[in-house]
Amino acid sequence: MFFNDDKKILAIVGGGSVSVSVVCQLVDEIIGAGGCDIGCVHIFEPCSRIGAGLAYQLDGPSNLLNTRAAAMSPIHSKPDHFIKWLRANEDKWEAFFPQVVISDEVFLPRGLFGLYLENIFQDAKQALHALGIPVHHVRSMVTGMVVMNSGYLLRTCDERFFADNVVLALGNLQSSDWKHLLLEPGFFTSPYPCSTLVKNVHDLQSVCVLGSGLSAIDAVVALADAGHQGKLIMASRGGRLPSVRGNQSARCSSRTFTRENIRALIKRSHYHLSLAQVYQLLVDEVFQLQGFKVDIDSILHKDAGPHHYLDIEVRDAKGQERVWQSVLYSLNESIDLIWHYLDDVDKARFEAEFKSQWLAYRVSFPMQNAIKLQTLIHNDQLTVFGGVRRTWRDRSSSQFATCINDHRRSFRATIYSDVLINSAVFTTDVTRCSSALVRQMLDSGLAAAHPFGGIDVNFHTNELRTCTGALLPGVYALGALTSGTHFWTNAMNVNARLASNIVRLLVQPARVESHGLLLLPNTASTQVSSKLTVQAARPDKGDQA
């Protein structure tokens, strides 16, 4: 095995699941290539442990993955790595989750996946060390980045670090909304860890959770499991709960939405897809698999309120094969290609008219938690509202006030609660995120906001584009930061695939077309918009679909 004398420094910013995906796949890629020119790896993560991040930290057992165990893996070439690791390493997790029974189809606690991530990171770290590549955990947050002639200078609160290549794996971006409530007692900026909620919320207090998605469900179920007796409220803009994952929903091997078939369709369509075209493909696929025409109304239940909708969802998820659900999940393989080749008009229409519905049906939650919510609703302990407009601390009552104005139901009210939990804590709008690094890169021109979320990156390489549209060589982004380019960046298998592509570029850059060099005078200024010199980059669209 050989290594070049001119060793490079790789910086990974963030220490969650996507960072682990990069590190684990880096080991395999280096071994497969017979070596590389990476000399060391710096991982910037303020937390004491790398792997779980906020999403998968050890927490209550009711916080479940919404993907079955056999389909969870941060390693693209090993889609069943998680379930195999669990079976081979019971001694490493059984004490933390003694009640868990392992099977391919079960929805396991999120904290268990986090424990797995921490363990395989340590294994990968040791493997890289054996290859002569030390991995350093820098327990600091990166707040800025400056371009140098030969690489990049990363700034933390008290140090500076040089890197030849940078991977931004920041995870979900925290919103800067609700700043006016940050110092108010009884306001929780996030439901996680839910064990904190359980410890700090009195059993009889009334609780309003902002949001009605998976995070809101985690908060409500955790409180209920801990014996909470007070009123629970979910309040969101749409007032729509996610769909319930069917007991009979077998994993679907898509005939239509393989990457090969979608690439062929894109070429036949002259590198343009339409929403109408994609919708018809979905309908046809479901028809082919279930043998009869899709009844969209029987899936959407547009006129059902949130409580009635949950009853319908639980009934249908228990009683029948949900082929449409399996087809939606199978889209993970090619959804980035489909999104990329929609024109901006169709993308904007989807964002405005269909995205909230897409999220409600694509991001389903397990039956066991659905039944818990259903029981809370039937017992009148939980109520779900749509039409949230604003929330504030009401000084006269010393409670939180949440204004509801649901035009669809001609309903207006102000809801008062002792506790307010913000489950809508994340955003894809980088102009509204709280990350100091992202804001600095936008302000300096090193990055540009994508009109459909995240920052602008090259579709094929995930390299950043600056405010001028030029590529920033050797700086890559993953996860929520790339949501405008790749659309669906919530799924582990999608991020694993994108991470594997970046790792390939890091280890074997000769395989990839050169983008030229970025030159910047050696200056402390980070304003790059007028100083960038970049050779013409490969177009994002064309025959490389």
Side-chain angles (χ1 to χ4, degrees), residues 340-407:
H340 185 59
Y341 286 95
L342 291 175
D343 63 30
D344 285 352
V345 173
D346 267 355
K347 287 178 181 177
R349 185 185 173 207
F350 179 87
E351 291 277 336
E353 299 179 28
F354 305 117
K355 188 173 183 179
S356 61
Q357 284 188 12
W358 160 266
L359 290 172
Y361 290 94
R362 171 55 184 83
V363 187
S364 58
F365 69 115
M367 177 65 72
Q368 51 263 56
N369 281 352
I371 292 173
K372 290 177 181 179
L373 286 194
Q374 189 181 41
T375 301
L376 291 170
I377 289 172
H378 289 178
N379 292 339
D380 198 31
Q381 188 179 358
L382 172 65
T383 305
V384 182
F385 291 104
V388 167
R389 291 297 176 264
R390 64 190 184 98
T391 186
W392 67 98
R393 168 74 81 178
D394 180 62
R395 299 302 171 189
S396 62
S397 65
S398 297
Q399 290 183 303
F400 293 99
T402 301
C403 177
I404 301 293
N405 188 358
D406 189 346
H407 294 293

Side-chain angles (χ1 to χ4, degrees), residues 14-21 43 45 49-54 56 117 169-171:
S17 60
V18 176
S19 175
V20 172
S21 179
I43 301 179
E45 171 54 54
R49 299 170 72 89
I50 290 173
L54 180 65
Y56 302 112
L117 290 170
L170 304 182

Side-chain angles (χ1 to χ4, degrees), residues 69 83 93 97-104 106-109 112:
I83 193 73
W93 60 264
F97 297 94
Q99 305 303 318
V100 166
V101 177
I102 300 300
S103 75
D104 287 4
V106 73
F107 297 93
L108 294 172
L112 179 54

